Amino acid sequence: MELKICHLYPDVLNLYGDGGNIICMQQRLKWRGIQSEVSRVMIGDTLRLSDCDLLFIGGGQDFEQEVLLPDLQSGKDREIIAAIEDGLTVLTICGGYQMLGQYYETYDGVRCDFIGALDLYTVGSKQRMIGNTVCHCTEECGGSTIVGFENHSGKTRLGPGVKPLAHVQVGFGNNGEDKTEGAHYRNVFGSYSHGPLLPKNPAFCDLLLLTALQRRYGDATLEPLDDLAERKAHDAMVQRLTGQR
Ligand code: GLN
């Protein structure tokens, strides 16, 4: 078995080590003897997702999101929408997550009309939402607890066509008001959690990998790993941030 992973805008959208999510996914596949191939798609490159199993998009500052807008609207948007509707597994973080929504209006009033693949929109706020996070994934997103770090001014509002990824215990999440974090639609998983997200959240990483493997191979399974160190790092953050074991 193998997985083909596409990393979109790796040079522009890569805040707080988001590229580490790719390393984590490849390593957890390698430990199981599963090959993986990563294609890096930059501004100006052609995006082809028809033979891709998993798409990853990291986070970026307002300026970087504005810079990549013309390239996104040059055809990459249509390719991403078609792949999402075809069940492609997607992990997208913060600015990349916002980009899949209808629009992002920065605090400075710049309106970025994004691709509308997800029923959500984002409006920049004066209060930046910064800090460590502890969130609880919904059952359909695996039910695990995820720890992370967030830094965004955008407040994201979910429409009826999309569900939250998780609910916030510590931190702001989508907007610091409705206790939702991220979004889930078909096999798209969006989150505000940087860190990178996956190394300290092995159960969530394996959910993504299994979703992609099962779409490609049907009844794929993932052998358990000896990831005690990762789980201890995860649990240490949960205890530090919530006081609970
Ligand atoms: N520029 C966006 C915001 O501030 C996204 C930030 C990010 O990706 N961390 O909301």
Side-chain angles (χ1 to χ4, degrees), residues 65-123:
Q65 290 171 283
E66 293 160 30
V67 162
L68 63 84
L69 201 50
D71 182 72
L72 186 64
Q73 294 170 338
S74 66
K76 288 188 173 72
D77 49 357
R78 291 185 295 278
E79 182 72 12
I80 293 169
I81 290 170
I84 285 174
E85 291 307 314
D86 188 43
L88 176 68
T89 302
V90 182
L91 173 65
T92 181
I93 304 294
C94 204
Y97 158 45
Q98 295 170 342
M99 204 170 80
L100 297 191
Q102 290 137 7
Y103 66 86
Y104 172 41
E105 197 166 296
T106 70
Y107 183 63
D108 298 334
V110 176
R111 165 104 174 203
C112 301
D113 286 321
F114 281 145
I115 73 174
L118 300 185
D119 181 14
L120 58 89
Y121 66 90
T122 302
V123 177

Side-chain angles (χ1 to χ4, degrees), residues 62 98 104 106-107 122-129 151-155 192:
D62 290 3
Q98 295 170 342
Y104 172 41
T106 70
Y107 183 63
T122 302
V123 177
S125 62
K126 186 173 185 184
Q127 165 207 23
R128 283 203 73 82
M129 290 156 276
N151 179 352
H152 53 106
S153 82
K155 290 193 171 189
Y192 269 110

Side-chain angles (χ1 to χ4, degrees), residues 28 132-134 145-148 196-202 227-241 244-245:
R28 291 186 72 82
N132 290 307
T133 59
V134 177
T145 299
I146 51 177
V147 296
L197 171 63
L198 297 181
K200 282 204 295 288
N201 297 291
D227 50 16
L228 180 61
E230 293 89 331
R231 286 184 284 114
K232 280 191 166 184
H234 171 276
D235 296 349
M237 284 309 292
V238 172
Q239 185 176 4
R240 182 190 304 178
L241 297 170
Q244 299 157 354
R245 281 195 176 282

